[in-house]
Amino acid sequence: MQEEHDLPARILRALRFRPKGMTITEVAKQLGVTRNSVSKHLEIFLIAGKVDVRQIGNAKLYSLAQRVPISAFLCFTKNLILILDNDQRIVQVNDQCLRHLRQSKDDLIGRTIREAALPVVSTPEALAVIDELEREQVVADIRYAREDGEFFYQMQAIPTTFEDGEKGCTLVLEDITERKRYVRNMEFLARTGRDFKDMDATDDIYQYVARELYTLAPGFLVWVGIIDESDQMLVLKSVVGDPVAIAVTEQFTGMKVEGMAFPITKADTAELIRHLKLVKAPPLYRLMHMEVPEESCQQVEEAAGGIDTYLMGLVSRGRIVGDVGISIQAGTELPNQGLIEAFVRQAAIAIDRKIADDRLRQSLARELEQVRNLLFLSRTAMDFIEMDDSVDIYHYIGDRLHDLTPDSIIFVCTLDAEQREIRFRAIVGDSEQIDHLRDVTGTELIDVPFPIDEMLQSGFDVSAGRIFEISSLYHTLFHRIPEERCVQAEIELGPGRGFGRNFSCREGTQGCLLIQPTRPGDLTNREVIEAFANQVSVALLRRRARGNLLQSERRFRDLVDSSPISSAVIESDGRYTYINRAFTDLFGYTLADIPTGKDWLRLAFPEEAQRREAIAAWKTDRELAGPGRPRPRTFPVRCRDGTEKVILFRPVELSDGTEYVTYEDITEERRAYGMLLGEIAELRKK
């Protein structure tokens, strides 16, 4: 009898050490009892839920059920637990669930889950899980929305066997709202991180940050401000929010919100953006850095029914880049505070990188612009040097200046100080615009003289060595075109203020460049325009000097050509560059016959011995006389017609090595001198 009484404990102990399970035969053999006794007790244990059974072929494999006493389970878990019977009536509920549902046991015990109409567990989503529950437990996520927000629970529906063998189920609900939110937040930050990474130079990062913040904390306004370190100002780069709130703010402050700038040098204002977490800001007057009248700030706050503003600094690598601000209805809680702070830290790094990239791009753009300017100036310098006098230099000047300022009409003018007049030498730009300008003004402007007095009345500073502004087209055209026509041209073509630059030289102002933009805006490329204007001054001076030199050369040639004395100009390299008519008349040779000294020696001294003698004598004379002072020399010269003449050479060496040589025919003098010597000799004999 004692052995039969201890048999249940012995069976459970045997199963405890065989976690994989035992058959009825294995238990009976190990304990030394009959199969019927073991089978009877295992059936009782199975009904009581103390053991589990698995069917393997024809055999049943029994193992201990993993159980925790319901009382302990209900008391010590933080989850919400409801126990239902087979009819889905509530038979037990823990204290945590009662507190969360704000119900008492008397309100719930004995009622079905549908009759109780409980939040979360009486929803269609949860009831569907309970209705379909069979032998295996089911885990499902339940979403529940209420006025104060959205909540998430993980519900485990566990098949349950009671002490009396009745079936039911246990519902275990875990509040996973916060977990669902560091997941949602992580997804948000992962997405924004990708967005920041994928942004290029054309994307507006400030607008993006403001929009994302507004989705996290919708209210009145969200803004992003960036510090301009050059002048220590905080500039609002982007403002997003309720259109009415923006309109009211702009109405009372009298300023457009986006683009507002505030000084941050004062300690009390700068301190507002130094925080690494969201902080509640002071009233709007101080928030606006005391740049907007206090009365206007109060009116904005009253119109909104009260404003609470939170600020957080954009800090990257220990440096303050700017700040973000969030304005919401006074007295309301700021949502998603932790996520906002994480996003702002993320945005600070991205914005700092954006600012650095922009500065690098600007620096590279400036360097490329400088390279382009240098290439432009080097090309124009070479063009000016190599330019033939037949090229229209004024049109070239206008074309190159139009390359620098394509949206404009270029006027190139020359100034004649003696005649006291100025003329347009070239007009360059869009041909249709120029034709239309001619039609409206009713004047062909090229080569039309304008008195200098009109130029001075137009406000032109002829002595200025810099770019100056011209207030209207009427002044650009020196008051010679009726003002109403100039105004009409400005209306139709769009030009406004113009720009000018004189080009001067040692002899004074030679003219000016006039730039008439066809689009509003300031003049760019000022430095390269200044440098180009200086090039123009030098090029025109060189062209004028070259013209004067050519004129002098023509005068010299005319003078020498009309002289009765035979002469030639010989370069230092032996080239004959000029012979006059008297030379050709004397010798019969033209410049085509004697392009070089070698050709002259070959024709003038056909005998080799004679030629060598002449060359040697010429060299000796040069060595004795010294550089720059060759002495006259007489040589017999063969002319083109074959006759021989005695010529007195008188060379003059010029400062550049060129020789100017005159030739005097002394043939008759030599003959007369020879005859005289003969007569003297005859007289001496007598």
Side-chain angles (χ1 to χ4, degrees):
M1 292 295 294
Q2 182 63 35
E3 184 177 332
E4 184 68 21
H5 179 74
D6 294 337
L7 184 57
R10 293 172 62 197
I11 293 173
L12 293 176
R13 189 162 49 250
L15 293 176
R16 183 178 299 119
F17 295 104
R18 296 286 294 274
K20 292 184 178 180
M22 301 175 71
T23 64
I24 296 175
T25 301
E26 289 174 335
V27 175
K29 185 176 180 180
Q30 179 175 329
L31 299 181
V33 294
T34 65
R35 290 183 76 262
N36 289 337
S37 297
V38 173
S39 176
K40 178 183 66 175
H41 287 292
L42 285 175
E43 194 65 27
I44 294 172
F45 289 154
L46 183 62
I47 294 172
K50 293 183 179 181
V51 297
D52 293 326
V53 65
R54 288 177 295 160
Q55 190 79 29
I56 300 179
N58 294 326
K60 292 182 178 180
L61 198 65
Y62 292 87
S63 59
L64 285 180
Q66 302 298 318
R67 302 182 60 196
V68 176
I70 288 182
S71 57
F73 189 63
L74 295 179
C75 295
F76 295 107
T77 182
K78 64 179 181 179
N79 297 329
L80 315 182
I81 298 178
L82 293 95
I83 301 176
L84 311 180
D85 64 12
N86 199 39
D87 296 323
Q88 296 184 358
R89 288 193 301 268
I90 301 172
V91 296
Q92 187 60 282
V93 60
N94 68 348
D95 293 340
Q96 289 88 331
C97 186
L98 292 173
R99 285 194 296 270
H100 190 79
L101 300 178
R102 299 179 181 177
Q103 301 279 349
S104 66
K105 283 189 177 182
D106 294 339
D107 296 330
L108 300 180
I109 301 298
R111 303 180 67 186
T112 67
I113 197 168
R114 285 180 169 79
E115 292 172 345
L118 297 175
V120 186
V121 291
S122 295
T123 60
E125 187 179 5
L127 290 173
V129 174
I130 299 169
D131 291 340
E132 295 173 5
L133 183 65
E134 295 181 352
R135 295 181 62 83
E136 298 291 333
Q137 73 174 27
V138 178
V139 179
D141 288 348
I142 306 298
R143 173 182 171 274
Y144 178 67
R146 63 190 191 197
E147 292 181 357
D148 57 343
E150 188 178 50
F151 296 86
F152 296 88
Y153 296 85
Q154 186 180 79
M155 184 180 79
Q156 298 182 55
I158 306 170
T160 304
T161 303
F162 297 104
E163 294 288 342
D164 57 2
E166 184 181 354
K167 303 293 184 181
C169 78
T170 300
L171 302 180
V172 180
L173 290 99
E174 180 184 0
D175 188 346
I176 59 171
T177 303
E178 288 303 317
R179 189 191 310 166
K180 280 282 188 180
R181 286 175 181 170
Y182 282 125
V183 173
R184 187 189 65 181
N185 293 352
M186 290 300 293
E187 290 175 349
F188 175 88
L189 294 174
R191 176 179 61 80
T192 55
R194 288 193 301 271
D195 290 345
F196 284 133
K197 182 180 178 181
D198 295 338
M199 282 185 182
D200 58 27
T202 61
D203 293 317
D204 189 341
I205 191 172
Y206 310 111
Q207 182 76 6
Y208 174 83
V209 172
R211 283 201 316 268
E212 293 297 331
L213 283 173
Y214 193 69
T215 62
L216 297 178
F220 292 138
L221 297 177
V222 170
W223 68 86
V224 178
I226 299 299
I227 294 177
D228 184 344
E229 295 181 350
S230 60
D231 53 10
Q232 286 295 290
M233 298 288 286
L234 179 70
V235 182
L236 300 190
K237 301 290 285 188
S238 180
V239 179
V240 174
D242 187 324
V244 176
I246 294 176
V248 169
T249 303
E250 292 180 345
Q251 175 187 352
F252 285 111
T253 61
M255 293 186 289
K256 186 172 176 60
V257 178
E258 192 166 295
M260 280 186 177
F262 307 101
I264 58 169
T265 52
K266 299 177 183 177
D268 54 347
T269 56
E271 184 62 26
L272 291 175
I273 64 171
R274 296 185 182 275
H275 304 287
L276 300 180
K277 291 186 177 182
L278 285 167
V279 295
K280 197 169 183 180
L284 187 60
Y285 174 59
R286 187 182 169 202
L287 182 64
M288 302 289 281
H289 302 265
M290 294 165 282
E291 292 295 305
V292 177
E294 188 171 9
E295 181 181 356
S296 298
C297 295
Q298 291 174 349
Q299 289 175 328
V300 172
E301 291 174 326
E302 291 172 1
I307 300 174
D308 283 344
T309 300
Y310 295 85
L311 289 179
M312 182 173 173
L314 290 166
V315 180
S316 174
R317 295 176 294 178
R319 185 173 62 87
I320 300 175
V321 177
D323 76 345
V324 298
I326 303 171
S327 291
I328 59 176
Q329 183 71 52
T332 59
E333 183 180 355
L334 180 65
N336 299 308
Q337 182 166 335
L339 180 56
I340 291 173
E341 291 176 349
F343 175 64
V344 171
R345 296 187 189 102
Q346 184 188 61
I349 297 172
I351 289 174
D352 191 26
R353 185 183 64 189
K354 164 77 171 175
I355 293 173
D357 289 346
D358 287 346
R359 288 174 178 169
L360 178 59
R361 277 190 291 270
Q362 292 169 3
S363 177
L364 292 175
R366 285 193 297 269
E367 291 180 4
L368 289 174
E369 182 68 18
Q370 291 175 355
V371 171
R372 284 193 292 267
N373 292 343
L374 290 174
L375 291 174
F376 173 87
L377 293 173
S378 63
R379 176 168 62 89
T380 53
M382 291 303 300
D383 287 347
F384 282 133
I385 292 173
E386 298 173 355
M387 188 176 292
D388 189 80
D389 288 344
S390 61
V391 175
D392 185 348
I393 190 172
Y394 303 110
H395 206 281
Y396 173 86
I397 292 168
D399 285 338
R400 299 292 76 75
L401 192 57
H402 190 258
D403 291 341
L404 296 176
T405 56
D407 296 321
S408 62
I409 299 175
I410 308 298
F411 302 88
V412 183
C413 312
T414 58
L415 185 147
D416 188 334
E418 294 182 0
Q419 299 294 327
R420 294 194 60 78
E421 65 181 21
I422 191 165
R423 292 176 183 264
F424 289 115
R425 297 297 187 182
I427 302 178
V428 177
D430 181 81
S431 58
E432 293 184 2
Q433 289 181 325
I434 294 176
D435 291 340
H436 193 56
L437 180 64
R438 290 193 182 102
D439 293 341
V440 174
T441 58
T443 305
E444 178 61 48
L445 298 173
I446 295 292
D447 277 336
V448 175
F450 297 91
I452 291 180
D453 293 341
E454 295 291 342
M455 178 183 181
L456 298 176
Q457 290 179 17
S458 297
F460 287 60
D461 184 358
V462 295
S463 63
R466 63 183 183 280
I467 294 175
F468 53 86
E469 292 190 8
I470 308 170
S471 59
S472 68
L473 184 63
Y474 179 59
H475 292 305
T476 299
L477 300 179
F478 308 116
H479 297 177
R480 291 303 300 269
I481 306 300
E483 188 170 8
E484 59 273 13
R485 293 188 179 182
C486 294
V487 171
Q488 182 183 353
E490 289 178 342
I491 294 173
E492 296 182 11
L493 297 178
R497 61 172 182 163
F499 303 89
R501 174 60 159 84
N502 298 329
F503 39 86
S504 306
C505 63
R506 294 189 299 270
E507 300 175 5
T509 300
Q510 304 176 69
C512 63
L513 308 170
L514 303 178
I515 305 170
Q516 190 66 54
T518 54
R519 289 185 180 181
D522 198 6
L523 186 66
T524 59
N525 298 324
R526 284 178 176 259
E527 292 183 359
V528 70
I529 292 174
E530 294 277 10
F532 178 64
N534 292 333
Q535 279 188 348
V536 169
S537 300
V538 175
L540 291 178
L541 178 61
R542 289 180 68 252
R543 175 166 283 207
R544 178 177 296 181
R546 190 162 58 248
N548 293 337
L549 178 60
L550 290 174
Q551 185 177 10
S552 298
E553 289 179 354
R554 283 193 296 269
R555 289 175 179 173
F556 170 76
R557 290 171 185 257
D558 291 343
L559 179 63
V560 173
D561 208 37
S562 63
S563 172
I565 301 174
S566 301
S567 58
V569 177
I570 308 171
E571 298 294 332
S572 59
D573 59 0
R575 289 181 298 109
Y576 279 65
T577 56
Y578 178 73
I579 59 176
N580 67 352
R581 285 195 299 266
F583 182 97
T584 302
D585 292 341
L586 176 61
F587 299 110
Y589 300 121
T590 65
L591 190 60
D593 299 321
I594 53 171
T596 67
K598 288 183 179 181
D599 297 309
W600 163 250
L601 290 171
R602 177 176 53 81
L603 296 173
F605 307 101
E607 300 293 336
E608 185 176 354
Q610 186 186 21
R611 186 163 57 249
R612 288 180 179 179
E613 182 182 352
I615 293 173
W618 194 266
K619 288 183 177 180
T620 302
D621 289 345
R622 283 181 172 276
E623 292 173 358
L624 293 174
R629 295 181 295 174
R631 67 180 183 175
R633 186 79 179 188
T634 301
F635 295 101
V637 175
R638 177 72 59 86
C639 298
R640 186 186 183 95
D641 60 3
T643 61
E644 189 174 90
K645 295 180 180 180
V646 180
I647 303 298
L648 175 62
F649 290 71
R650 288 192 177 92
V652 177
E653 187 173 344
L654 304 180
S655 59
D656 62 352
T658 303
E659 284 191 345
Y660 175 68
V661 184
T662 62
Y663 308 86
E664 183 180 350
D665 184 0
I666 60 172
T667 304
E668 294 301 324
E669 294 179 7
R670 281 297 180 97
R671 182 180 295 112
Y673 181 69
M675 292 176 61
L676 179 61
L677 289 179
E679 292 176 357
I680 293 174
E682 289 295 329
L683 288 174
R684 285 180 177 175
K685 289 180 181 179
K686 293 178 179 180

